[in-house]
Amino acid sequence: MLPLSGVKVVDLGSVLMAPYASQWLGDLGADVIKVETAIGDSTRYTGPAAEPGMAAMFLGSNRNKRSIVLDLRDPLGVAALLKLVDSADVFIHNIRPQKLEKLGIAPEKLMLRNPRLVYAGLHGFGEGGRYAGRPAYDDIIQGMCGNADLMLRQTGKPGYLPTVSADKTSGLVAAIAILAAITARERTGRGGFVEIPMFETMVAFNLVEHLYGGHFEPTRGQSGYPRALASTRAPFSTQDGFISVMPYTDSHWIDLFRELDAKDLEDDARFQDIAARTENIALLYDRLAALISKRSTSDWVEIFDRLDIPAAEVISLEGLMQDGHLEDTGFFSALRDENMGELRFPGVPIRFDGVRPDICMPPRLGEHTTQILEEAGLSATEIQQLISSGTARQYTSARGDESNEQYRQNRSTII
């Protein structure tokens, strides 16, 4: 019995931020119903695939869910969605707010129907600000929230982190906010509206350490944490590879200087304590890099282990799949599908009472349409009418490559 067993989530999210948030809720035991258009989430067609509509990007953020296809441009589709909402605990979307009223799913309408509903709006920008309603994708938010500027300061050229950090960070914060709202509802008996804006979420995330001197009025130095911004902050080259090293405390550095027989560094006033090292960290890392390059990775791992200084050999993405620790802890999960064969997934990283939650195969487009509508109380006749009219669709394997072609022809219809 997982913590969120019995919690029903209706998820209109697409691409990554909202699907990642709802995947976490599903990992924790919630029944997540993914509501999709007839062509499905665009990530169904992003990356390699063993079957049309089940591409890698979709697999990465949609496990532990069920899928229903509804056309929300049709009043009958909206009516069916409202039936789902009537018994839901949580409603999630990442649709731009100005479209909600037109679709008939504005917060006030849904929470009036279901006062216990936690309505989560995952927006690009907070309502009430001048950016409200603007489209937002990970690259846009990374450019606005400070990520690109941090890269400029460190490398001399603005750039994006090579991971969709805004989508995933905001999705995690959304999951936390939704859980907080569910907890509050258990005390008050009423749900509420939760707004999670990507821009503000990422600004808050970056300024944890990078507001720095800006905490004070008047300011006490520039924004930006020097150690994180040092151009020489990177894995160190050894004779045969790379190693990540993090001497941090005074005792770490003293022990390291003595191990290296580097009395000049030990006596240098610029490296005497954490305040001085922080101000001169780029130079210190540069000096350390020259020394580390003279020995092998295995030599350094042994040395840093003996000195109790955090260090580890750099692991590639491919190397993670053969990592001994991850194998010991059973981190990766393998699922066998009769059509796609064996698939590998990263497991849920947390455990409850020593047990890691199981994962289920991400759903095919509309795989559970009939089942979900039956659970919502629709009769067999009503369900057949929805499917016959094209307002709802049930997955059939015969569609094959048609789903890819339909996506290419109709991508402008994605909500």
Side-chain angles (χ1 to χ4, degrees):
M1 182 67 71
L2 291 170
L4 294 186
S5 294
V7 172
K8 179 178 174 181
V9 178
V10 175
D11 173 22
L12 264 66
S14 61
V15 190
L16 193 56
M17 176 172 64
Y20 188 57
S22 63
Q23 176 172 273
W24 266 104
L25 301 179
D27 287 349
L28 298 177
D31 175 19
V32 178
I33 297 172
K34 184 176 179 70
V35 181
E36 301 185 72
T37 66
I39 54 177
D41 192 325
S42 63
T43 59
R44 285 185 176 275
Y45 313 96
T46 305
E51 176 185 309
M54 296 292 282
M57 281 288 287
F58 180 81
L59 298 180
S61 57
N62 287 282
R63 68 188 181 209
N64 291 336
K65 301 179 186 181
R66 297 189 288 164
S67 171
I68 179 173
V69 170
L70 291 174
D71 185 353
L72 299 186
R73 298 167 299 180
D74 186 326
L76 292 177
V78 175
L81 175 68
L82 294 178
K83 290 285 288 183
L84 302 183
V85 170
D86 286 345
S87 59
D89 297 283
V90 179
F91 178 83
I92 298 176
H93 76 84
N94 61 337
I95 303 167
R96 282 191 276 170
Q98 60 265 38
K99 293 187 176 183
L100 298 175
E101 190 65 48
K102 182 178 179 181
L103 291 170
I105 55 174
E108 300 79 12
K109 181 174 182 178
L110 269 58
M111 290 190 293
L112 183 63
R113 290 181 64 100
N114 181 357
R116 287 180 55 82
L117 183 69
V118 172
Y119 187 113
L122 282 64
H123 303 158
F125 306 91
E127 289 296 282
R130 63 190 64 190
Y131 302 152
R134 285 171 53 170
Y137 285 88
D138 190 89
D139 289 7
I140 306 304
I141 299 301
Q142 286 210 44
M144 296 179 69
C145 74
N147 280 10
D149 181 56
L150 291 170
M151 295 296 289
L152 172 65
R153 295 192 194 196
Q154 187 184 61
T155 69
K157 181 180 179 180
Y160 306 130
L161 301 184
T163 182
V164 282
S165 62
D167 274 325
K168 291 188 291 184
T169 302
S170 300
L172 279 172
V173 171
I176 294 169
I178 289 166
L179 294 175
I182 292 174
T183 301
R185 187 192 65 184
E186 297 309 301
R187 294 197 307 269
T188 66
R190 295 188 65 84
F193 176 64
V194 183
E195 182 184 23
I196 305 97
M198 289 179 72
F199 177 52
E200 288 93 321
T201 297
M202 286 304 296
V203 171
F205 180 81
N206 280 333
L207 294 187
V208 167
E209 75 274 38
H210 289 301
L211 185 55
Y212 213 58
H215 273 294
F216 307 96
E217 184 59 46
T219 60
R220 293 176 176 267
Q222 291 186 327
S223 59
Y225 175 36
R227 194 190 72 79
L229 289 171
S231 61
T232 49
R233 180 189 177 229
F236 296 101
S237 295
T238 66
Q239 284 183 337
D240 56 359
F242 298 92
I243 189 169
S244 297
V245 183
M246 184 59 187
Y248 188 76
T249 66
D250 288 345
S251 60
H252 283 161
W253 283 105
I254 290 170
D255 290 344
L256 181 56
F257 291 150
R258 292 175 180 174
E259 176 72 25
L260 297 171
D261 195 23
K263 187 168 176 55
D264 59 327
L265 299 180
E266 183 180 355
D267 294 340
D268 195 320
R270 294 171 295 181
F271 311 138
Q272 287 295 300
D273 55 36
I274 191 168
R277 286 193 300 272
T278 298
E279 292 303 314
N280 298 283
I281 196 68
L283 174 61
L284 180 55
Y285 280 163
D286 187 56
R287 299 286 294 275
L288 184 58
L291 295 168
I292 287 180
S293 67
K294 298 177 180 180
R295 300 190 192 184
S296 70
T297 300
S298 59
D299 284 347
W300 283 117
V301 168
E302 185 279 322
I303 290 169
F304 289 124
D305 185 57
R306 173 165 47 80
L307 296 177
D308 200 25
I309 293 174
E313 184 176 357
V314 170
I315 304 174
S316 68
L317 292 176
E318 290 77 14
L320 291 173
M321 290 180 276
Q322 285 81 44
D323 181 77
H325 174 83
L326 295 178
E327 182 178 350
D328 293 341
T329 59
F331 175 73
F332 285 102
S333 295
L335 297 179
R336 176 162 289 281
D337 181 83
E338 61 180 16
N339 293 327
M340 293 188 285
E342 187 168 305
L343 300 172
R344 181 191 294 113
F345 292 85
V348 183
I350 56 180
R351 296 174 184 264
F352 295 97
D353 297 322
V355 179
R356 189 189 306 280
D358 290 331
I359 65 170
C360 295
M361 179 71 68
R364 288 162 168 91
L365 181 61
E367 181 177 349
H368 307 95
T369 294
T370 299
Q371 178 188 62
I372 291 168
L373 291 175
E374 287 174 347
E375 292 171 357
L378 276 71
S379 67
T381 300
E382 290 171 321
I383 294 171
Q384 187 56 49
Q385 287 175 341
L386 287 169
I387 292 174
S388 297
S389 68
T391 302
R393 288 197 181 184
Q394 174 71 28
Y395 167 78
T396 57
S397 59
R399 292 176 64 193
D401 291 334
E402 175 191 343
S403 57
N404 276 326
E405 180 60 30
Q406 186 178 35
Y407 173 71
R408 286 191 288 270
Q409 293 176 357
N410 300 289
R411 65 178 64 192
S412 62
T413 66
I414 295 176
I415 292 174

